[in-house]
């Protein structure tokens, strides 16, 4: 049976590792029941950056895709417009999950908690419920997305949770594949490109941590490729991009594309750690402190990149087909064929306009105070 | 913290000038004082400042996650999913509930096409199975009125419907008449669209060369050549070419000169790619002769059967009369003729005896041979009309047929019936004048597509199966593939040819999303098949 650690005090529970275990499903659950078509896929977190790319690719390859989406007053219609089926459910409500798993052969889990949501409820309890439901319903294939080197940093709560989920999944008896991701190109747009365009100051750290960014489209391609082969079953694979970048290099690259000089404010790591310490001491700011927990990792100056030759071989992919960060930004920047800088591109003006609309609404949902 | 203070005071004033800068005017000072004591305003500004600082801090500490961008980032145009022509193309998918049709509808929507689907029973299909952006037409494909309603506003048709059962009535309705109805409706629609846009004759309608219902053509067509003078000349009444040819090697030819311009002013045969004619034959084979303005003649032989038939003769089938002639240029056609040649050998007893001995015939069959000879001397061809087939770049109608391999769910006994019905449907499409691509896949599988290499072939030789998703991908690419126009081909997974039958080599193509594998695959196949 699943054990969960009861919090005996906030500070204590955050530093202890959670002890988990699960029984492999009994034979009775695996056999029997109606046969499920082999090309039916459930994507959890289909509205996210990665999820929508996976839905697109799977639809194009001929899978019957079902998306688990929370009921919303304005639902995301683009999924339905593409021809995917949309089912309503919520990871925080475990009773709503089994109904969505009926008739599904593969589950792809790319969901994570939004900043305004409690991480533990969604990323731990919700995922555990999902895995248990999948065990019970006899799901044939389970794909999970985790974070690079999550087992090496138990002090960061999200990484701790991810590594515990990995272990839980591995011991559950499902035919799983775990992908550990380093970072998406799309994050670079949000964190660096947009502030540079808006001519706001960009805050960066002075550490030398290198991250190998990868395009979410390529991750989607690799995921769908992993579905068709047995070579990746019961394995944990790391997906990293072709080149690892530091924050400073990324800002320089964006400056080059935008032809401007960004106003960079360097935040020293000790400042972040101290802020986190301050916030941790206050109970209501515990989640906020969690977000800053990553600062501990930054100071280690690690290289977030892994050797991908084995992965490419397993997935039958060509290493040269992966999009690099420069070409990604270049493509976004040059909306026209002439290849003028950021400022003239349609794409960015649309993003900025939408950001203004969404930013006005987001202010109200910021949770920390 | 310096940054915090800066932010706070910057948010305070209206223009963004900080207090530490040059002294502001009197009004500003007054405003500032008022604002300074308004607690709500102060609170809001403080929160704004904290927001900004907090956002930057959390961004710094999680450089690889960007929360707000998820809502804002529109789905990027993936190079793999771009179809530049999709923006102004409406595609009608017939058979959108089938295996291929379902996947095809999704792929079209992903690339931005406007999709129209024909369903027999809209209520029977679950709500989520059809996205809202698909326009639905209800009705059966065997009903002409439904087909006409379905093709309104459509520029391309993909027909992947099949009869659900092997009853002859079903087969006839869907595979034979259904295709015919769709084809006719599509032609009408294209013609209507051309009329609306002002040109009198749409580029996809056939051009009239001879219509023997009108006296005009009957009068113009004359015997141009009749073999040796002692033969009875053919009568030209009612477009009938018939008569008796007594001697060996006699030729009877009936033809007319074509004025190069149609009554509307458009050039009659420029840009066309073949001749189609409707006639009632008598099992002899005839020749169609075309003459260009520099005196060259080209001929194509076609067989006829007893009864009405439509014959399609692409220009590629026309052989030049003498060697060294330039290839047939349709823009320079000035004359057309139909010829019958009595080619069977004369009645020498030695020949007959040899024939008899060769076939081991008895006395009785000698009379048959004699009858045959007289039959050869009589010929009769009733022609209804002759038209020129329009040329074009892209196919307008994509038909998914079958390769003739057995399918689960069909009796082997019924298989012949099904294949015949499908072939009749294909023939209807070919004779219509629309640009077509006919795809004959092997047995369909419910697998994800895009992984195994595919083999494209012509000639009923394939044995393997293929995923339905791959067929959908081929249909999609065929929509805009000029190389695939007017071609029929089989497609299946790659396989090894038997050692004994290794007379031909199969070239396999990997259906990668990025490259246009269809162009390479289909370019080497024969056209007008």
């Amino acid at each position: 049976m699943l054990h969960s650690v009861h919090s005996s005090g906030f500070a204590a529970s955050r530093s202890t590792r959670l002890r988990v275990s699960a029984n492999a499903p009994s034979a009775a659950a695996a056999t029997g029941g109606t046969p499920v078509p082999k090309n039916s896929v459930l994507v959890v977190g289909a509205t996210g950056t990665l999820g929508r790319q996976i839905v697109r690719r799977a639809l194009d390859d001929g899978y019957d895709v079902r998306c688990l989406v929370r009921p919303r007053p304005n639902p995301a219609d683009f999924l339905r417009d593409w021809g995917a089926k949309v089912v309503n459910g919520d990871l925080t409500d475990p009773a709503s999950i089994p109904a969505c798993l009926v008739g599904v052969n593969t589950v792809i889990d790319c969901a994570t908690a939004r900043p305004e949501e409690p991480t533990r409820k969604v990323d731990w309890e919700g995922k555990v419920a999902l895995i248990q439901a999948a065990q019970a319903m006899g799901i044939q294939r389970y794909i999970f997305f985790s974070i690079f080197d999550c087992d090496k940093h138990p002090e960061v709560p999200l990484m701790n949770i991810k590594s515990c989920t990995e272990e839980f999944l591995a011991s559950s008896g499902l035919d799983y594949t775990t992908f550990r991701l380093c970072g998406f190109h799309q994050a670079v747009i949000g964190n660096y490109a947009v502030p540079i365009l808006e001519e706001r100051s960009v805050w960066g750290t002075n550490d030398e941590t290198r991250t190998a960014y990868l395009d979410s489209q390529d991750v989607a391609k690799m995921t769908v490729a992993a579905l068709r082969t047995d070579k990746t079953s019961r394995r944990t694979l790391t997906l990293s991009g072709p080149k690892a970048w530091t924050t400073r290099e990324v800002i320089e690259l964006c400056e080059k594309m935008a032809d401007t000089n960004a106003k960079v404010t360097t935040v020293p790591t000790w400042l972040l750690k101290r802020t986190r310490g301050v916030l941790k001491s206050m109970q209501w700011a515990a989640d906020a402190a969690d977000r800053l927990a990553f600062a501990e990792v930054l100071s280690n100056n690690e290289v977030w990149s892994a050797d991908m030759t084995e992965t490419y071989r397993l997935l039958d992919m060509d290493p040269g087909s992966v999009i690099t960060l420069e070409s990604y930004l270049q493509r976004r920047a040059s909306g026209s064929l002439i290849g003028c800088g950021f400022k003239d591109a349609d794409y960015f003006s649309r993003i900025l306009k939408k950001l203004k609309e969404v930013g006005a609404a987001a202010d109200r949902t910021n949770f920390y105070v | 913290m310096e940054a915090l203070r800066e932010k706070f005071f910057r948010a305070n004033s209206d223009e963004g000038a900080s207090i530490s800068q040059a002294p502001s005017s009197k009004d500003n000072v007054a405003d500032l004082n008022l604002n300074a004591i308004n607690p709500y305003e102060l609170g809001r500004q403080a929160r704004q400042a904290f927001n900004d600082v907090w956002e930057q801090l959390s961004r710094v500490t999680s450089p690889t996650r960007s929360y707000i961008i998820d809502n804002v980032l529109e789905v990027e145009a993936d190079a793999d999913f771009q179809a530049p022509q999709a923006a102004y193309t409406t595609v009608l998918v017939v058979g959108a509930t089938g295996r291929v049709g379902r996947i095809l509808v999704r792929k079209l929507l992903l690339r931005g096409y406007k999709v129209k689907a024909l369903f027999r029973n809209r209520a029977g299909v679950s709500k989520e199975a059809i996205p809202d952006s698909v326009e639905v037409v209800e009705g059966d494909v065997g009903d002409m009125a439904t087909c006409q309603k379905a093709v309104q506003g459509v520029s391309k048709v993909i027909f992947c419907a099949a009869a659900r059962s092997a009853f002859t009535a079903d087969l006839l309705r869907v595979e034979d008449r259904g295709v015919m109805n769709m084809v006719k409706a599509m032609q009408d629609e294209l013609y209507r669209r051309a009329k609306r846009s002002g040109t009198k004759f749409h580029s996809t309608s056939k051009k009239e060369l001879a219509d023997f219902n009108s006296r005009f053509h009957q009068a113009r067509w004359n015997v141009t050549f009749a073999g040796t003078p002692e033969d009875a000349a053919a009568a030209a009444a009612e477009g009938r070419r018939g008569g008796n040819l007594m001697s060996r090697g006699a030729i009877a030819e009936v033809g007319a000169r074509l004025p190069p311009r149609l009554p509307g002013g458009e050039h009659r045969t420029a840009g066309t790619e073949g001749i189609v004619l409707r006639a009632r034959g008598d099992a002899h084979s005839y020749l169609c002769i075309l003459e260009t303005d520099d005196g060259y003649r080209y001929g194509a032989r076609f067989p006829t059967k007893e009864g009405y038939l439509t014959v399609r003769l692409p220009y590629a089938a026309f052989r030049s009369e003498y060697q060294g002639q330039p290839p047939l240029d349709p823009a320079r056609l000035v004359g057309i003729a139909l010829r019958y040649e009595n080619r069977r050998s004369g009645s020498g007893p030695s020949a007959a005896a040899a024939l008899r001995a060769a076939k081991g015939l008895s006395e009785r069959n000698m009379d048959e041979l004699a009858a045959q000879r007289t039959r050869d001397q009589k010929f009769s061809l009733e022609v209804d009309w002759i038209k020129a087939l329009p040329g074009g770049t892209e196919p307008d109608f994509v038909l998914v047929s079958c390769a003739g391999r057995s399918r689960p769910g069909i009796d082997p006994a019924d298989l012949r019936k099904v294949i015949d019905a499908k072939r009749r449907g294909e023939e209807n499409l070919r004779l219509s004048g629309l640009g077509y691509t006919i795809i004959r896949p092997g047995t369909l599988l419910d697998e994800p597509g895009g992984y195994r290499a595919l083999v494209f072939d012509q000639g009923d030789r394939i044995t393997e199966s293929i995923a339905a998703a791959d067929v959908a991908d081929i249909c999609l690419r065929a929509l805009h593939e000029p190389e695939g126009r007017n071609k029929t081909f089989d497609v299946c997974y790659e396989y090894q040819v038997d050692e004994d039958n290794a007379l031909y080599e199969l070239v396999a193509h990997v259906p990668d999303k990025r490259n246009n594998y269809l162009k390479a695959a289909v370019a080497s196949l024969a056209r007008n098949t």
Side-chain angles (χ1 to χ4, degrees):
Chain A
M1 279 315 293
L2 167 67
H3 306 282
S4 61
V5 170
H6 301 287
S7 50
S8 49
F10 254 90
S13 70
R14 284 187 191 281
S15 47
T16 53
R17 289 193 74 119
L18 302 169
R19 256 160 288 145
V20 300
S21 69
N23 285 335
S26 56
T31 59
T34 48
V36 155
K38 290 205 68 122
N39 55 357
S40 64
V41 169
L42 172 74
V43 180
V44 184
T47 46
T49 330
L50 179 59
R52 56 184 81 174
Q53 304 288 350
I54 291 184
V55 167
R56 243 193 348 186
R57 271 223 170 240
L59 277 176
D60 204 54
D61 271 353
Y63 287 96
D64 270 329
V65 179
R66 209 186 280 190
C67 306
L68 184 65
V69 170
R70 273 177 292 185
R72 283 253 179 279
N74 312 323
D77 269 335
F78 63 91
L79 289 171
R80 223 169 304 185
D81 282 340
W82 289 341
K85 240 191 309 196
V86 170
V87 286
N88 280 334
D90 198 338
L91 278 181
T92 54
D93 174 19
S96 66
I97 300 178
C100 312
L101 291 175
V102 174
V104 162
N105 176 276
T106 311
V107 171
I108 302 184
D109 179 11
C110 30
T112 188
R114 280 248 165 84
E116 62 263 20
E117 288 156 15
T119 322
R120 176 183 285 225
K121 198 108 206 321
V122 175
D123 272 306
W124 174 243
E125 289 168 13
K127 296 301 171 82
V128 160
L130 182 59
I131 293 175
Q132 286 180 316
Q135 262 180 300
M137 314 265 306
I139 298 291
Q140 300 298 309
R141 200 93 165 75
Y142 194 104
I143 304 224
F144 179 64
F145 288 96
S146 162
I147 309 178
F148 181 83
D149 265 358
C150 49
D151 42 350
K152 301 211 180 60
H153 299 284
E155 67 276 7
V156 181
L158 184 59
M159 299 180 99
N160 190 14
I161 289 181
K162 286 281 190 189
S163 102
C164 292
T165 320
E166 277 185 22
E167 282 175 21
F168 184 59
L169 183 56
S171 65
S172 69
L174 289 169
D175 184 359
Y176 73 95
T177 302
T178 304
F179 288 114
R180 289 182 169 184
L181 306 171
C182 301
F184 288 144
H185 288 325
Q186 281 74 5
V188 170
I189 295 231
N191 289 335
Y192 301 111
V194 168
I196 291 183
L197 272 183
E198 293 184 328
E199 297 191 334
R200 288 191 277 146
S201 79
V202 179
W203 291 30
T205 49
N206 54 2
D207 60 89
E208 291 289 317
T209 314
R210 302 185 146 267
T211 325
Y213 292 100
L214 192 56
D215 200 320
S216 56
Q217 290 173 7
D218 287 321
V219 177
K221 245 192 268 191
M222 295 180 199
T223 313
V224 178
L227 283 183
R228 63 177 143 128
T229 153
D230 268 336
K231 293 191 268 194
T232 52
S233 85
R234 293 174 207 273
R235 291 189 59 154
T236 306
L237 298 172
T238 308
L239 299 180
S240 76
K243 182 178 169 203
W245 303 75
T246 59
T247 319
R248 208 175 317 139
E249 286 173 6
V250 173
I251 295 181
E252 274 168 17
L253 182 65
C254 293
E255 283 179 339
K256 195 164 56 135
M257 299 273 170
D259 265 343
T260 56
N261 273 333
K263 296 182 275 252
V264 181
T265 319
T266 317
V267 178
T269 332
W270 59 259
L271 175 64
L272 293 171
K273 286 199 209 171
R274 206 175 289 178
T275 319
R276 182 177 177 228
V278 164
L279 288 174
K280 251 188 1 164
S281 61
M282 295 181 275
Q283 204 170 0
W284 47 263
D287 284 323
D290 279 345
R291 272 223 257 169
L292 291 184
F294 198 66
E296 317 273 338
V297 179
L298 284 181
S299 49
N300 293 346
N301 287 349
E302 296 170 354
V303 176
W304 275 41
S305 164
D307 182 28
M308 288 279 282
T309 45
E310 170 75 9
T311 316
Y312 284 131
R313 194 186 58 81
L314 278 178
L315 297 173
D316 239 346
M317 271 185 66
D318 171 27
S321 64
V322 173
I323 308 174
T324 59
L325 184 57
E326 295 109 330
S327 59
Y328 176 74
L329 289 175
Q330 188 76 52
R331 223 194 294 166
R332 298 292 148 234
S334 54
S336 63
L337 289 173
I338 308 174
C340 35
F342 270 3
K343 306 215 172 152
D344 308 75
D346 255 338
Y347 179 79
F348 281 107
S349 50
R350 283 202 301 266
I351 295 246
L352 289 177
K353 201 160 47 137
K354 264 204 235 177
L355 264 181
K356 284 201 179 53
E357 292 166 21
V358 180
D363 274 344
R364 269 175 267 125
T365 60
N366 265 338
F367 66 95
Y368 51 86
V369 282
Chain B
M1 291 189 264
E2 261 312 305
L4 208 54
R5 197 184 310 144
E6 220 186 337
K7 280 266 173 185
F8 180 77
F9 284 113
R10 202 180 312 148
N12 218 351
S13 65
D14 297 348
E15 306 304 310
S18 66
I19 300 249
S20 49
Q21 283 183 359
S24 31
S25 66
K26 272 235 161 184
D27 308 295
N28 270 356
V29 171
D31 276 336
L32 229 50
N33 283 337
L34 273 175
N35 271 340
I37 61 172
N38 180 3
Y40 294 113
E41 194 53 45
L42 279 178
R44 201 177 303 143
Q45 283 153 13
R47 191 188 167 100
Q48 181 79 32
F50 271 120
N51 260 347
D52 288 343
V53 170
W54 180 248
E55 208 180 296
Q56 291 288 13
L57 275 183
S58 52
R59 224 178 248 172
V60 159
T61 53
S62 49
T64 60
R65 297 180 71 178
S66 173
Y67 304 110
I68 204 140
I69 208 76
D70 263 355
N71 290 331
V72 166
L73 205 58
E74 50 191 43
V75 188
E76 289 143 9
D78 192 345
D80 294 356
F81 292 113
Q82 248 167 16
Q85 312 93 332
Y88 47 87
T89 313
T90 310
V91 179
L92 170 69
V93 178
V94 183
T97 43
R99 281 183 289 179
V100 175
R102 246 198 333 237
I103 304 181
L104 190 53
V105 165
R106 286 184 208 146
K107 288 172 99 99
L108 288 169
L109 288 174
L110 274 175
R111 283 159 177 83
Y113 286 90
K114 264 186 51 62
V115 178
K116 227 171 150 173
L118 181 63
F119 286 103
R120 258 187 304 186
N121 186 5
R122 175 73 176 80
V125 187
S126 65
K127 187 79 172 60
E128 299 102 37
I130 318 159
D132 288 331
S133 42
V134 170
E135 206 182 317
V136 171
V137 176
E138 262 198 75
D140 192 84
V141 82
D143 171 30
M144 190 58 182
T146 318
C147 293
Q148 282 168 339
K149 204 161 48 126
V151 293
Q152 278 167 10
V154 162
S155 31
K156 303 222 181 235
V157 177
I158 305 187
F159 195 104
C160 35
R164 290 285 162 132
S165 63
F167 293 136
T168 316
D170 274 351
L171 289 173
L172 263 178
R173 183 172 48 88
V174 177
E175 320 273 9
D176 193 357
R177 254 209 343 264
V179 177
M180 172 80 94
N181 287 346
M182 259 313 152
V183 156
K184 283 202 191 140
M186 190 62 188
Q187 283 180 301
D188 290 340
E189 169 69 14
L190 289 173
Y191 181 64
R192 249 178 280 142
R193 200 179 297 168
K195 272 216 292 205
R196 258 179 275 147
S197 67
T199 62
K200 185 149 199 294
F201 296 99
H202 187 69
S203 56
T204 63
S205 55
K206 304 190 275 264
K207 311 279 193 308
E208 180 190 81
L209 292 180
D211 181 2
F212 294 105
N213 284 327
S214 69
R215 291 248 135 224
F216 172 69
H217 288 276
Q218 287 173 23
R220 285 186 57 232
W221 277 62
N222 249 319
V223 179
T224 52
F225 182 81
T228 30
E230 65 240 25
D231 293 337
E238 278 143 35
R240 180 195 300 266
R241 259 145 297 295
N244 260 313
L245 287 178
M246 294 299 169
S247 63
R248 175 168 56 122
I251 298 174
E253 194 175 301
V254 181
R257 305 208 56 85
L258 292 169
R261 301 219 164 257
L262 287 168
E266 202 173 303
H267 195 279
R268 190 185 292 266
T269 46
T272 55
E273 56 180 29
I275 305 277
V276 63
L277 60 89
R278 182 154 180 86
R280 186 165 86 169
D282 58 350
H284 290 303
S285 78
Y286 292 85
L287 241 100
C288 175
I289 309 248
L290 295 175
E291 189 174 332
T292 54
D293 60 0
D294 41 0
Y296 292 124
R297 294 159 69 84
Y298 306 80
R301 185 170 286 280
F302 59 94
T304 58
K305 64 172 202 234
E306 302 259 358
Y308 275 99
L309 77 156
T310 319
V311 179
R312 179 193 161 110
L313 299 167
Y315 289 139
F318 281 81
R319 305 257 164 281
S320 47
E321 215 168 11
Y322 308 106
Q323 268 194 337
Q325 269 175 331
L328 177 57
D329 181 10
R332 306 175 70 175
L333 279 186
V334 291
I336 181 172
L338 291 170
R339 176 202 283 203
Y340 175 71
E341 293 172 352
N342 183 0
R343 287 163 111 228
R344 302 220 192 248
S345 51
S347 54
S350 53
L355 216 51
R356 187 180 23 149
K359 291 200 206 161
L361 294 173
S362 62
E363 265 296 323
R364 219 174 346 117
N365 295 354
M366 271 288 280
D367 303 329
E368 273 181 25
L369 280 178
Q372 171 84 6
R373 229 180 321 119
T374 25
R375 259 210 303 276
D376 287 339
Q377 297 159 353
K378 273 219 229 322
F379 67 93
S380 162
L381 182 72
E382 258 182 65
V383 181
D384 268 352
W385 45 257
I386 307 180
K387 294 192 185 164
L389 290 168
T393 41
E394 294 175 353
D396 309 303
F397 200 108
V398 178
L399 175 62
V400 176
S401 172
C402 75
R405 296 294 137 195
S406 66
R407 244 193 289 173
I410 295 219
D411 268 339
D414 292 333
L415 189 62
R416 194 73 249 161
K417 264 200 304 182
V418 172
I419 297 178
D420 281 343
K422 289 211 189 246
R423 298 287 179 256
R424 273 201 301 268
E426 291 178 15
E427 213 34 47
N428 287 338
L429 176 56
R430 277 194 209 112
L431 296 171
S432 65
L434 288 176
Y436 65 86
T437 299
I438 298 181
I439 303 171
R440 296 194 194 157
T443 317
L444 290 179
L445 297 172
D446 270 324
E447 277 180 2
Y451 302 137
R452 292 177 61 177
L454 301 174
V455 158
F456 292 78
D457 199 17
Q458 280 178 328
D460 256 351
R461 300 189 281 213
I462 65 173
T463 49
E464 275 285 317
S465 38
I466 183 175
D470 278 330
V471 178
D473 200 43
I474 296 175
C475 287
L476 186 71
R477 287 176 192 279
L479 279 183
H480 293 287
E481 185 54 64
E483 290 285 346
R485 186 175 208 263
N486 290 355
K487 287 192 184 167
T488 308
F489 52 87
D490 308 336
V491 67
C492 71
Y493 278 151
E494 171 182 34
Y495 65 100
Q496 283 301 110
V497 182
D498 289 338
E499 282 308 312
D500 5 316
N501 293 348
L503 293 172
Y504 57 98
E505 211 180 276
L506 293 171
V507 180
H509 299 264
V510 178
D512 194 11
K513 284 198 212 298
R514 281 212 190 148
N515 58 24
N516 193 358
Y517 63 94
L518 189 66
K519 187 183 175 87
V522 160
S524 55
L525 298 175
R527 212 175 256 275
N528 289 310
T529 36

